[in-house]
Amino acid sequence: MILETRPSPGAKIRVSGGGRCNLLPSIAAPEDFHTSGSERAMRNILLSWPLAEVRSFFEDELSIPLKVEATGKIFPSSDRPLDVVEALLSECRKRGVEIRTKCRVVSVRNASSGFALGLADGAPVRAKRLVLATGGLSLPRTGSDGGGYALARALGHEITTTFPVLVPLTTADRAWLTLPGLSLPVTLRAAREGRTIAQRSGSFL
């Protein structure tokens, strides 16, 4: 069962990648990622479903043609995020998944043999296993409104203090108006535990 707060699932997929759905990176390794928690746990999670298998899932099982762009990012060949949403929903229906939309979870607690979920409108739901996939606080209109933090906290998880990462820079100087959308290759270096960690990413203006 999927409990979806929005009228229809996949809102964040539809706006990702500038509206074209940046589905996957073409190359990824555990060394590309950083965590303040257990590095071994992070590595195990990343290696549990290798990138090649994830790509095969979308291309071979969901029949979504993909393309690799010069940036190394993978998009659907159609540049239509809706193709991805529809394929995922079709797979859910094929596997007998019940999808309940406009359904907001307001509480969760450990119960005998699983979890008990309280809904804003409707009878409680019990589940043997629970996946919290609520997003963070980045885009409230897609459902990522921070509500998942309270649910995780109720289950005993520690929540790291959040802060904005991508924020707009505003200026009245017209000389800067040509910069929006500019992407530059950069190298970020951070020292941790006496060693240097290098991570390549893009700097967007």
Side-chain angles (χ1 to χ4, degrees):
M1 177 185 291
I2 294 176
L3 304 177
E4 167 64 54
T5 60
R6 304 290 299 165
S8 60
K12 208 160 190 179
I13 295 175
R14 290 194 291 269
V15 300
S16 67
R20 297 192 299 125
C21 189
N22 174 201
L23 196 58
L24 294 167
S26 58
I27 301 174
E31 292 74 25
D32 297 329
F33 298 85
H34 173 70
T35 178
S36 58
S38 168
E39 292 189 4
R40 176 172 296 186
M42 179 190 70
R43 176 179 290 271
N44 289 341
I45 291 171
L46 292 171
L47 295 180
S48 66
W49 198 18
L51 179 59
E53 293 182 13
V54 180
R55 181 171 177 175
S56 176
F57 169 74
F58 284 101
E59 288 187 304
D60 302 329
E61 296 187 42
L62 299 189
S63 300
I64 302 175
L66 302 178
K67 62 180 178 180
V68 181
E69 298 195 345
T71 58
K73 298 176 181 178
I74 297 178
F75 290 82
S77 296
S78 64
D79 285 331
R80 295 183 67 249
L82 198 56
D83 290 349
V84 178
V85 175
E86 290 176 345
L88 289 170
L89 292 178
S90 176
E91 185 70 10
C92 285
R93 289 190 291 269
K94 185 189 306 181
R95 294 177 180 266
V97 177
E98 177 186 353
I99 300 177
R100 297 172 60 175
T101 58
K102 298 182 180 179
C103 183
R104 187 171 188 88
V105 179
V106 294
S107 66
V108 60
R109 61 181 176 83
N110 290 300
S112 57
S113 301
F115 303 90
L117 287 71
L119 308 182
D121 183 17
V125 171
R126 288 186 174 270
K128 289 184 178 180
R129 296 178 178 86
L130 173 66
V131 175
L132 289 180
T134 63
L137 189 54
S138 59
L139 204 55
R141 64 187 176 90
T142 66
S144 294
D145 57 9
Y149 293 133
L151 301 179
R153 190 178 291 111
L155 292 173
H157 292 287
E158 179 181 350
I159 307 301
T160 301
T161 302
T162 62
F163 56 90
V165 177
L166 299 178
V167 295
L169 300 176
T170 59
T171 177
D173 189 341
R174 297 184 61 84
W176 297 94
L177 297 183
T178 59
L179 293 180
L182 179 64
S183 176
L184 301 173
V186 300
T187 299
L188 303 179
R189 298 188 181 278
R192 183 183 178 209
E193 299 174 356
R195 58 194 181 95
T196 298
I197 301 171
Q199 176 183 351
R200 291 196 172 275
S201 65
S203 174
F204 298 92
L205 299 175

